[in-house]
Amino acid sequence: MIPASRTLAAVILSVVGIGAFAIIALPATTVSAHQAPALQSYSSRHYQIETDLPRERASRFADHMDRVFDEFERLFDDFELKHPTRPRLYLLSTEDAYLRTLATKGINGRGSGGMYFRRANESGVVTWIEGRPADRVHHVLQHEAFHQFAYHYLGGGLPAWANEGIAEYFGNALLVGGEFQTNVFSASNLATIRGAIQTNQSLPFEDLFYAEREEWNRVVTSRDPRAGLAYLQSWSMVHFLVNAEGGTYQDAFMTFVRAAGNGMAPKQAAAKAFGSDDLLPFERAWREYVLNEQQPDPTSTNMERLRFLASGLEELHGLGIHPMSIYELQAQLIEIRFAWTRANLHTVTLPPLRADDQMLYTPAEAQITRGRRSQPAPRFEIIPAPRTKGSPPPALRLVGTPVPMTGTWTATGDGTWMFEIEID
């Protein structure tokens, strides 16, 4: 149990220097049942699909999630089904359809991008598709579907850090070449975690590990910037337990998940899994791994850098500035002191990426392949766009890497543009 004087919220407040938390209360909504969108229902391999989308469109997301479910089962292959109801996915066309569907279930979804809900007689993962990049929708579904899987297979007792950390572990997974990559960690996220450790800003394991769900929610709804670190560090801890030293700690982690999921108190579950409830050795090993062993994966790093470049191009496009090369783009973004503010699934703000960071204009593989003349150097390229009224910003592509990518713009219908990345 966390001492009353040293809760997770207290730790974060003591570091940040904020005097109180503000709990955001969303206004109640009342939407009558006849306002819910008409849904068709069908079964995929693992899910019951409820959707107002054309069957072909919904099936692309359903098929993707069936493969994600296979990944859940692969990691938790010896866990038994506890709640034998078919997991349900609500794949809705628009945000309005999303809000109306949730309202008929007594849920106010305003301000959310997707959720897993559970009521006495039904449960499901709900999100919407239109006006959002497919990879963003995938992240939402993958994250929330883990919470659903956890309830069905792992039990309802997982502590917040483990539940959210594993959800982010799967939420960030990428489908590349027909296979899921779960061992992903972008360069900027790794740099954020390393910086927190080096400046003694990382959250003590004793406080994060044993935080109650209510306390975790208070931290997140406060919009405190340290809430982003709570998610990121939890993801990092799970990443360490699953992947470090060739998976040395994975069996112990599965023991902890099984014990905690079945209702054992986290302190006792830790003692059962790791041989002790003293978390200092675990914390030291994690720090060593993050600081000296863990490496960012190039695919998620390059996707993030493409999004940064695209956001910069969009900003300049609005100013009537049209760079033709990455070099020109860099110079213009530095001149206007551009910074791209990122937010995770829960709109928790992460440290911004700034225009004066040279690495943001360079593919992750560039350092590795430098000096090799047998192939073109990895590089980002701008694909020029027409400079007519109402035209989109320029597109982007990544070439010369094992996983090339193209980023294009799609009109959203409200006068804005949506940037989507396709792995070639």
Side-chain angles (χ1 to χ4, degrees):
M1 181 177 294
I2 305 172
S5 62
R6 190 162 176 75
T7 62
L8 174 63
V11 169
I12 291 179
L13 288 176
S14 67
V15 173
V16 182
I18 298 176
F21 273 93
I23 297 182
I24 300 173
L26 294 174
T29 57
T30 55
V31 178
S32 59
H34 74 272
Q35 292 178 289
L39 304 180
Q40 59 176 315
S41 180
Y42 72 93
S43 295
S44 69
R45 281 196 296 119
H46 293 296
Y47 292 98
Q48 186 67 28
I49 308 300
E50 307 288 344
T51 185
D52 63 345
L53 292 165
R55 177 72 174 263
E56 182 181 354
R57 182 113 191 266
S59 292
R60 290 199 293 270
F61 289 95
D63 292 346
H64 178 92
M65 290 308 299
D66 280 335
R67 300 175 76 170
V68 172
F69 194 98
D70 292 338
E71 287 297 304
F72 295 159
E73 290 189 318
R74 187 181 64 80
L75 184 59
F76 302 100
D77 60 347
D78 61 344
F79 284 67
E80 296 179 358
L81 182 65
K82 293 178 171 59
H83 300 282
T85 55
R86 191 170 182 82
R88 184 168 295 184
L89 291 182
Y90 288 84
L91 302 174
L92 302 169
S93 55
T94 64
E95 184 177 11
D96 179 67
Y98 167 78
L99 293 173
R100 286 189 286 127
T101 298
L102 288 174
T104 63
K105 304 177 187 307
I107 301 170
N108 184 349
R110 287 187 180 138
S112 64
M115 68 174 65
Y116 166 53
F117 75 90
R118 192 169 72 247
R119 291 290 183 264
N121 60 346
E122 66 173 324
S123 66
V125 169
V126 196
T127 194
W128 77 93
I129 308 302
E130 301 295 348
R132 310 168 86 189
D135 63 302
R136 177 66 174 173
V137 176
H138 289 159
H139 188 145
V140 171
L141 287 171
Q142 290 165 204
H143 179 109
E144 299 299 341
F146 172 75
H147 292 317
Q148 182 182 52
F149 180 88
Y151 174 73
H152 282 270
Y153 283 84
L154 311 184
L158 279 182
W161 77 269
N163 207 333
E164 296 298 341
I166 302 172
E168 280 294 270
Y169 181 80
F170 284 110
N172 284 284
L174 299 171
L175 184 62
V176 179
E179 295 184 0
F180 270 101
Q181 296 182 0
T182 54
N183 186 12
V184 298
F185 218 108
S186 71
S188 67
N189 284 342
L190 182 55
T192 299
I193 288 290
R194 282 178 174 167
I197 293 173
Q198 291 164 341
T199 58
N200 295 317
Q201 299 288 300
S202 60
L203 301 173
F205 273 30
E206 184 77 14
D207 303 294
L208 188 60
F209 208 87
Y210 300 132
E212 299 288 344
R213 167 55 72 175
E214 292 76 12
E215 187 179 4
W216 177 284
N217 289 341
R218 283 200 305 272
V219 171
V220 173
T221 57
S222 72
R223 304 297 183 183
D224 187 282
R226 295 283 291 180
L229 182 60
Y231 276 98
L232 198 55
Q233 185 171 324
S234 297
W235 173 28
S236 179
M237 290 160 62
V238 169
H239 196 283
F240 165 78
L241 288 166
V242 174
N243 297 293
E245 298 182 26
T248 298
Y249 306 102
Q250 190 173 129
D251 287 345
F253 183 43
M254 292 299 107
T255 299
F256 173 82
V257 168
R258 187 187 303 278
N262 286 333
M264 184 179 290
K267 206 173 189 71
Q268 284 67 51
K272 177 181 175 67
F274 306 116
S276 171
D277 60 9
D278 178 8
L279 299 177
L280 285 177
F282 174 17
E283 187 167 3
R284 284 194 292 267
W286 168 77
R287 286 169 173 260
E288 175 68 21
Y289 173 71
V290 172
L291 291 176
N292 299 312
E293 299 177 38
Q294 190 174 18
Q295 297 297 321
D297 81 285
T299 303
S300 64
T301 297
N302 287 334
M303 291 181 73
E304 184 176 67
R305 290 177 182 175
L306 270 178
R307 292 190 188 100
F308 166 81
L309 297 174
S311 295
L313 282 169
E314 185 178 27
E315 180 79 8
L316 294 174
H317 185 72
L319 298 173
I321 301 172
H322 307 284
M324 298 297 293
S325 69
I326 297 297
Y327 177 79
E328 290 180 15
L329 173 61
Q330 179 180 2
Q332 293 288 352
L333 293 181
I334 290 174
E335 183 174 338
I336 67 171
R337 299 182 180 180
F338 178 74
W340 179 49
T341 301
R342 303 173 295 150
N344 78 349
L345 174 65
H346 303 271
T347 66
V348 175
T349 302
L350 299 173
L353 303 183
R354 301 186 182 280
D356 58 1
D357 183 351
Q358 172 64 41
M359 296 305 297
L360 295 175
Y361 307 90
T362 307
E365 295 90 347
Q367 297 295 323
I368 301 173
T369 60
R370 183 170 291 169
R372 299 180 187 175
R373 298 183 180 179
S374 59
Q375 60 183 9
R379 64 194 183 278
F380 296 115
E381 295 180 342
I382 294 176
I383 304 173
R387 298 183 186 178
T388 56
K389 184 177 180 180
S391 64
L396 288 159
R397 61 181 164 228
L398 167 65
V399 297
T401 67
V403 185
M405 305 172 189
T406 302
T408 57
W409 298 91
T410 303
T412 62
D414 62 357
T416 61
W417 297 94
M418 176 177 69
F419 186 72
E420 292 197 272
I421 297 174
E422 182 177 347
I423 295 177
D424 298 342

